[in-house]
Amino acid sequence: MSKTLKLDSEDAKKFAAKIQERSGEPIDMCFQCGECSSACPVSPEMDLMPSTLVRFTQLGLKDELINAKTIWVCASCFHCVARCPKGIDVAKVAEALRQELLRKKLDYVEVRDLSMEERQEIPQIAIISNLRKFSR
Amino acid sequence: MKIPYFPGCSLKTIGEGFEKSAIASAAVLDIELNELPRWVCCGTVSSLTTDDLMHHLAPVRNLIRVQDLEETQLVTLCSVCYSTLKRSNTLVKNDPEKLKTMNQFMYRESDYQCNVKVLHFLELLREIGFDKIKEKIKKPLRGLTLSPYYGCLLVRPKEFGIDDPETPTILQALTKALGADVIDNPYQLKCCGSYHTVDKPNLVADLGYKILTYARNSGADALVLSCPLCAFNLDNRQREIKRQYPDFVEIPILYFTQLMALAFDLDEERLGFDIHYVDPVPLLKEKQLLIDSLPLIKEK
Ligand code: SF4
Ligand code: SF4
Ligand code: SF4
Ligand code: SF4
């Protein structure tokens, strides 16, 4: 199955600009060194490596990005930005991408999905931070 | 010295021993940690998008409470609260426009003047000096080998960290000053999985397995840390780790303030060991840091 990527379309450019602005990160500066991907402790769970997430954002590949598992796997641990020679914070890029869905009320985690046992056991610091990241 | 202190929800629940041992050991150092009146939840994680001011309101509201006391410092114990309060503080200091919008939104509060400094308790200890802390020790932690664990938010991103983001030394310096031995753990900075403990507990167990097993295999008796969320993931989640990795051997988790309270020989009531998942008491008795005659574990 082949798929054509419309790299230079107006929509792609607009999406790239939007994520760059929302994340506040100099995404254009990324030169694909891969430091972020090698530093990321949860990359084995990701479908797009952190460096690929940044590359796809440069290219404005909206569908690929918002359907990626990666944006829900990122733990906001800031290992990537500690290593990036350009100071790009991939956690911010992932958050800007998640917000694309969350602002349309497409929650990834809902409280009602948690069992009674989980609700009793998991501390509020975990539940609040999780819902802040993964729900509207 | 009296200083306002922001507990956050965790120190009133899962991190009870963290709070009690911190307040008691601070008192030994002539620091009075005064709980900030009318504090509100800081919202845990800091907002990472440029157009979201809403989630900076709660942290700034807490800083206004400090300002209202005519104080200029706020101390935290939880690494997560520390990072979130500090990030919002830095944001409004650097962006007068955003600050103005937020001040207008919180019109019932006094305007925030950006004169408050957010400090982690470890920074305060470093300021006082570990030598000074040494002078107060009654029972050095001799024979105890510890693996320091920083996790993420205490040191990263570096603008908001309390120490070098790649080679921090503050926990090592403190634990050595208290008389314990310290091992190098290459996982000391590796994320514990954080909020994924809700939706991906297996991932958290994988990460915890590596951090804890390395510590154990290198001869550590316990891990020492400063964050109640790390503590939940690395202590309580040992149940899940054991399920996933049958070879796993449990290891206790201690807050740095519990170590201080032990070394200062403060009474055990203030240590809060009874709510730990892996009970550190047998280890501490074996090392003669706790005395047998005092019943410590409350009936569950
Ligand atoms: S912040 Fe996200 S992308 Fe960066 S290292 Fe951590 S998990 Fe990986
Ligand atoms: S480390 Fe920075 S420059 Fe290198 S690939 Fe990652 S984002 Fe791009
Ligand atoms: S962040 Fe928690 S630890 Fe900090 S006060 Fe709020 S929910 Fe709690
Ligand atoms: S180690 Fe875990 S809980 Fe602690 S600051 Fe990092 S992600 Fe957070």
Side-chain angles (χ1 to χ4, degrees):
Chain A
M1 212 173 31
S2 75
K3 194 173 171 208
T4 318
L5 299 176
K6 286 175 277 158
L7 293 186
D8 291 321
S9 75
E10 273 313 303
D11 285 351
K13 275 186 197 152
K14 258 194 217 155
F15 186 72
K18 175 156 103 177
I19 299 304
Q20 175 137 340
E21 195 189 336
R22 189 186 287 159
S23 67
E25 291 304 282
I27 291 164
D28 284 345
M29 304 271 279
C30 171
F31 60 136
Q32 289 296 295
C33 67
E35 281 283 343
C36 51
S37 299
S38 69
C40 179
V42 292
S43 61
E45 306 290 319
M46 292 175 169
D47 45 4
L48 298 180
M49 290 292 105
S51 50
T52 312
L53 198 78
V54 179
R55 181 68 184 133
F56 278 20
T57 305
Q58 287 175 338
L59 299 173
L61 302 178
K62 181 176 176 181
D63 290 346
E64 285 74 5
L65 287 162
I66 62 174
N67 291 312
K69 256 170 72 180
T70 296
I71 61 176
W72 309 109
V73 174
C74 173
S76 309
C77 66
F78 308 111
H79 279 288
C80 46
V81 63
R83 289 285 173 79
C84 176
K86 298 289 182 187
I88 297 170
D89 189 341
V90 186
K92 286 188 176 174
V93 180
E95 181 134 320
L97 290 164
R98 279 195 303 274
Q99 286 297 323
E100 192 62 21
L101 295 166
L102 296 176
R103 289 177 190 187
K104 296 185 178 110
K105 298 194 164 53
L106 296 164
D107 286 357
Y108 178 73
V109 173
E110 296 194 40
V111 179
R112 63 168 173 270
D113 296 339
L114 298 176
S115 69
M116 226 33 205
E117 196 199 355
E118 285 170 321
R119 285 183 218 183
Q120 279 166 8
E121 175 176 44
I122 302 175
Q124 53 273 63
I125 186 169
I127 294 188
I128 295 168
S129 54
N130 189 280
L131 294 175
R132 281 270 290 101
K133 289 287 171 183
F134 296 151
S135 71
R136 186 60 181 144
Chain B
M1 182 200 324
K2 288 184 184 179
I3 188 161
Y5 139 73
F6 180 83
C9 60
S10 297
L11 299 205
K12 300 295 177 188
T13 51
I14 49 160
E16 214 188 310
F18 192 10
E19 174 173 62
K20 283 186 184 160
S21 56
I23 291 175
S25 25
V28 173
L29 299 166
D30 299 320
I31 307 169
E32 197 179 307
L33 294 179
N34 289 327
E35 184 168 330
L36 183 68
R38 296 168 62 226
W39 61 269
V40 294
C41 171
C42 65
T44 59
V45 285
S46 190
S47 177
L48 298 178
T49 53
T50 52
D51 57 355
D52 173 18
L53 285 189
M54 193 60 96
H55 292 103
H56 291 290
L57 291 172
V60 173
R61 204 183 288 279
N62 285 307
L63 300 174
I64 294 174
R65 304 268 191 269
V66 182
Q67 176 182 288
D68 289 346
L69 296 173
E70 293 178 5
E71 292 281 355
T72 55
Q73 287 183 309
L74 180 64
V75 172
T76 69
L77 287 163
C78 166
S79 309
V80 183
C81 302
Y82 161 75
S83 184
T84 299
L85 291 167
K86 182 146 183 183
R87 289 188 82 131
S88 294
N89 200 23
T90 309
L91 174 92
V92 293
K93 277 183 180 170
N94 295 335
D95 197 328
E97 270 307 303
K98 284 184 176 162
L99 174 62
K100 197 172 154 204
T101 309
M102 288 162 74
N103 275 334
Q104 280 168 352
F105 185 86
M106 294 188 281
Y107 65 94
R108 284 176 193 277
E109 310 277 1
S110 47
D111 280 359
Y112 183 48
Q113 309 292 345
C114 299
N115 290 329
V116 177
K117 193 175 171 198
V118 177
L119 280 176
H120 191 275
F121 187 50
L122 278 168
E123 290 178 289
L124 195 62
L125 296 176
R126 181 171 55 197
E127 250 171 52
I128 291 167
F130 297 128
D131 286 340
K132 180 117 189 279
I133 294 171
K134 241 180 184 166
E135 289 166 16
K136 304 284 181 185
I137 294 176
K138 290 198 176 139
K139 210 164 51 175
L141 307 180
R142 233 169 264 136
L144 196 63
T145 305
L146 298 167
S147 176
Y149 178 73
Y150 293 88
C152 310
L153 300 178
L154 203 52
V155 289
R156 284 190 307 276
K158 70 168 181 292
E159 311 88 283
F160 313 109
I162 70 163
D163 203 348
D164 188 281
E166 300 271 352
T167 45
T169 53
I170 191 166
L171 276 176
Q172 276 88 339
L174 175 65
T175 38
K176 277 185 196 159
L178 297 174
D181 290 322
V182 178
I183 62 140
D184 268 336
N185 187 337
Y187 293 101
Q188 64 175 356
L189 293 165
K190 279 275 178 270
C191 172
C192 68
S194 182
Y195 46 76
H196 285 310
T197 204
V198 177
D199 65 304
K200 297 178 185 68
N202 295 347
L203 174 61
V204 169
D206 287 341
L207 295 164
Y209 175 75
K210 287 186 197 144
I211 297 163
L212 297 168
T213 303
Y214 191 95
R216 175 59 94 199
N217 290 347
S218 313
D221 300 312
L223 214 70
V224 49
L225 46 68
S226 74
C227 168
L229 182 53
C230 308
F232 178 78
N233 286 348
L234 295 172
D235 181 23
N236 301 63
R237 288 289 183 215
Q238 288 192 35
R239 192 184 64 195
E240 281 69 25
I241 297 176
K242 232 177 152 43
R243 257 184 231 152
Q244 257 162 260
Y245 298 91
D247 67 312
F248 177 70
V249 185
E250 289 182 347
I251 179 168
I253 301 299
L254 297 164
Y255 290 107
F256 68 94
T257 52
Q258 289 173 323
L259 294 176
M260 288 169 66
L262 275 172
F264 296 162
D265 205 12
L266 301 177
D267 70 52
E268 287 83 352
E269 233 86 292
R270 310 200 187 157
L271 295 174
F273 292 140
D274 52 326
I275 56 171
H276 287 223
Y277 174 73
V278 179
D279 186 2
V281 172
L283 166 73
L284 298 171
K285 281 187 176 167
E286 183 200 314
K287 304 285 176 189
Q288 292 172 348
L289 296 167
L290 281 180
I291 309 153
D292 229 349
S293 59
L294 294 167
L296 201 55
I297 300 298
K298 287 178 204 147
E299 293 298 321
K300 286 241 164 91

